[in-house]
Amino acid sequence: MLPRFWRKIRYRYDLIGTRCNTCGRNYYPPRNFCPVCRRRSSIEEVQLSGYGTVLSYSIVHDTPVGLKMEKPYVVALIQLDEGPIITSQLACEPEEVHDGMRVKAVFRKYGEDGEDGIIYYGTKFIPAEEA
Amino acid sequence: MRKVAVIGVGQSRFGELWDRSFRDIMLEAGVEALEDAGLEGKEIDALFVGNMSAGRYIAQEHVATLIADYAGLAELNIPSVRVEAADASGGLAVRMAHLAVASGMHDIVIAAGVEKVTDAGELSMEIMSSSADMEWEGFVGATLSAIYAMMTKLHMKEFGTTEEDLAMVSVKNHRNAVNNPKAQFKSEISVDAVLNSPYVAEPLKLLDCAPISDGAACVVLASEEVAKQYTDTPVYIKSSAQASDYLALHSRKDLTTMQSVVTASRQAYKQAGVEARDIDVAELHDSFTIAEIMAYEDLGFIEKGKGAELIREGIVEMGGEIPVNPSGGLKACGHAVGATGVRQVAELVLQLRGGAGKRQVECETALALNIGGTGGTAVVTILGR
Amino acid sequence: MKEVFELVGIVSYGTYIPRYRIKAEDIARIWGENADVIKGGLGVLEKSVPDLDEDTATISVEAAREAVRRAGINPKNIGAIFVGSESHPYAVKPTATIVGEALDVGNDFFAADLEFACKAGTAGIQNCMAMVEAGMIKYGLAIGSDTSQGAPGDPLEYSAAAGGAAFLVGNDGVIAEIEHTCSFTSDTPDFWRREGRPYPSHGGRFTGQPAYFRHVVSAAKMLMEETGLKPEDFNYAVFHQPNGKFPVRAARMLGFSKEQIEQGLVVRYVGNTYSGSSLLGFAAILDVAKPGDRILLVSFGSGAGSDAFSITVTDAIENLNRNPGVWDKISKKVYIDYGTYAKFRRKIRMR
Ligand SMILES: [Zn+2]
């Protein structure tokens, strides 16, 4: 899984999405192909602001094995200001979260490949007023 | 396209089958189906096997051949194909077998589904969750239940669906399973028990979620002419349709509608020449209670947002207008992942034949909905006499 | 008219302090110590604790992003990144490359992780200065950041904290000129952590006179001698803060007043953030400094050495958005108990 993580580091660390210049739509996660314009797609990378709004969220209690220490954690659907919806963790207390909450991107650790393995960093979100 | 009939069905017990291997449970369902059809074995032209993740659950790939082999078909050298669409693998196997017979390519085809999950221990849930987008959902800890939970919250907010509504779906399916000897949970539960069960991913609780089970199911499909040689009361596959959608929930335009279900069901209704209101009984994919409520809406049983009314008013109960999940559904019969879609069809064949015992429903037209993951795949099968 | 030659200095800065705090009382209760004696003796009332998903890399990135955002520069113009820490997430594999990628600096930059106990951050500033002065880079990013560990029950447990500060060094748009820097270095094993060991060890009271005081005082005196400056020439002074007592005593020994050190004395409420320690104090001073103010910065790293800096604030500081400041971040906190702290610091583990 190491090369698989490394390949997307750029997009995970920094919210770099893609934009289709044909129709003007922004995508995150990045896409090589616009599902609206398909072969007429004209894709380029775009730096997203990292600000967004919580559309929905869940406090996760039944976690994958590697995330047991983090339990419970908050997963959310966040609509970024540029349009795309992203699935991400919220790095805050479960009690702090509410629908419609403004959030901003932060750099956090997502996990590690065991004690001897690599560390997975990426983007999480925190309440924007805290920024 | 030729008419296709189901001439035999079989199912293993669903549940934690500690003493049974992948091969054992598949064989149990297969033998029952062949006996039911009155086949010796050599009549079989091809095999389609629905299986989500044998590679990760039991570290065994190439399972289509494995199954043909252990079913005693090795010397026939027939084609055997594994199909995979997460937990819609079984429904898809039925559809591929249907197409193989309908097209005239084959006369007798087996559609099987099997999953052996308990060997994977505590990794079972994670493997199941890999039906979501592992790069952009799984990476951040969005399990299958977490994604369904986010859909649930939106459905509650937009349409007023409540945790009690969800609980009632689970209660209904448990009640139905009492009369299904193959079911994993043959016990009734109360709404309070569901509401008081621990959270898995808020607002979904343990008893809102189907278990991940061991199990297998098998159906034998034949062309109309061939079917008549084996049975006087064939059940026909009136139509089958499959649709896909964005893999990840966050890419979809409408987060409380499964467009794959809408699309597949409309195609299936059209091909079968029926409408939603013609469906007498349905086996729906209640991997999470919200999925059953959304399915009522997306299949057109009721308009969008009013799904909960069907459970509140008893319309989907046994004896209601459209009984849903007489088998107990995924929640109580058990969810043997790749086997589920085949099991749903097997159940409906029993219902249409009038052979469903204590859980028999009065019916002429039946619908099975099998969903892959969070709705990235939907397979709808309509059956009738 | 723009000056043809500007002195190299700080172009921008950013800081990060995790939100969690544990009080000295909560640690003292576990080990049967008297909290008042500890608080009086160490001068640390509470300390910051990183969340499970925070480490030196995440702290460095957040501090660096703030620095770059405040400066409004193109990150591609950053030519060097040095991350000073004694708690790099990897023993082998740089933190600096993680920071570079997260800042989208590109691939055309010098990078290295530095380790010199608590002074690796200021060593990074010196490296950046040299490279800017040599014309090798336009901007350099020097970061001091740590998620330091104290063994359970060790006095260090009351102070070992988490936080960091990042400084963008250049000679264009300088908000604080670095007039002079010098270092006083010797081989003094007052505090160390052997390869592969989870917690540092130390020489107890040996860390005081022969280590901290000798190096801090010598470096500060050396700087004042070389520049001809006297304590009264500085508006502010900040010394490395392993606890609340040492920097106060060092200031007194050198002839600095309480008023000069008060603004930068953050240790009482965040603890010792190691490589971030003197730099967080320095950032807290920059938060309020006015053009013309002169600041003395003296770091200390065990093993041992001190880097001293004389820094003068320029008019450009008025144009830099300095909010939220270090003291704002210190006041934003959530208290946790010892059990949660032990879990966050992985002193207890799940099987
Ligand atoms: Zn487009």
Side-chain angles (χ1 to χ4, degrees), chain B residues 149-196:
Chain B
M150 292 193 284
M151 285 192 246
T152 307
K153 283 203 70 202
L154 287 166
H155 203 276
M156 288 174 154
K157 200 168 103 183
E158 272 180 64
F159 306 120
T161 303
T162 66
E163 295 189 32
E164 287 77 10
D165 295 331
L166 299 173
M168 285 170 74
V169 171
S170 183
V171 169
K172 164 184 73 72
N173 291 342
H174 270 262
R175 192 185 302 127
N176 294 354
V178 170
N179 293 315
N180 181 357
K182 302 272 174 77
Q184 182 167 1
F185 300 120
K186 291 182 279 285
S187 56
E188 292 202 36
I189 56 170
S190 66
V191 167
D192 277 347
V194 181
L195 294 177
N196 293 325

Side-chain angles (χ1 to χ4, degrees), chain A residues 9-10 13-16 47 51 68-71 89 91-93 96 104-110 112 115 117-121 123-124 129-131, chain C residues 16 19-20 51-59 61-62 65 69 76 89-90 97-99 101-104 324 332 334 343-344 346 348-351:
Chain A
I9 272 181
R10 173 173 170 69
Y13 284 13
D14 210 8
L15 285 182
I16 295 172
Q47 173 70 58
Y51 282 88
K68 275 189 177 162
M69 280 287 275
E70 327 282 326
K71 166 184 163 176
Q89 272 189 38
C92 63
E93 306 300 319
E96 291 177 78
K104 77 173 285 259
V106 292
F107 188 76
R108 293 291 183 106
K109 203 173 140 172
Y110 263 107
E112 54 192 35
E115 285 199 4
I118 62 159
I119 301 169
Y120 302 126
Y121 295 101
T123 300
K124 294 188 184 178
E129 52 273 20
E130 198 183 270
Chain C
Y16 187 83
R19 69 199 313 227
Y20 294 109
D51 202 343
L52 280 167
D53 61 0
E54 293 178 310
D55 63 16
T56 292
T58 68
I59 290 170
V61 167
E62 288 297 319
R65 278 183 177 166
R69 194 166 54 237
K76 299 272 191 296
Y90 291 93
T97 56
I98 298 170
V99 175
E101 191 67 55
L103 261 55
D104 202 16
K332 276 209 163 155
V334 174
K343 178 183 165 188
F344 282 3
R346 296 174 194 271
I348 49 171
R349 284 156 185 272
M350 222 177 188
R351 280 200 64 181

Side-chain angles (χ1 to χ4, degrees), chain B residues 21 24 29 35 56-58 64 88 111 131 137 162 182 186 232 257 269 276 296 298 305 346 369 380:
Chain B
S21 71
D24 294 340
E35 276 176 8
R56 291 189 69 201
Y57 279 123
I58 57 165
S131 63
E137 294 181 310
T162 66
K182 302 272 174 77
K186 291 182 279 285
D232 297 330
T257 298
Y269 293 146
Y296 301 157
D298 297 339
L369 168 64
V380 173

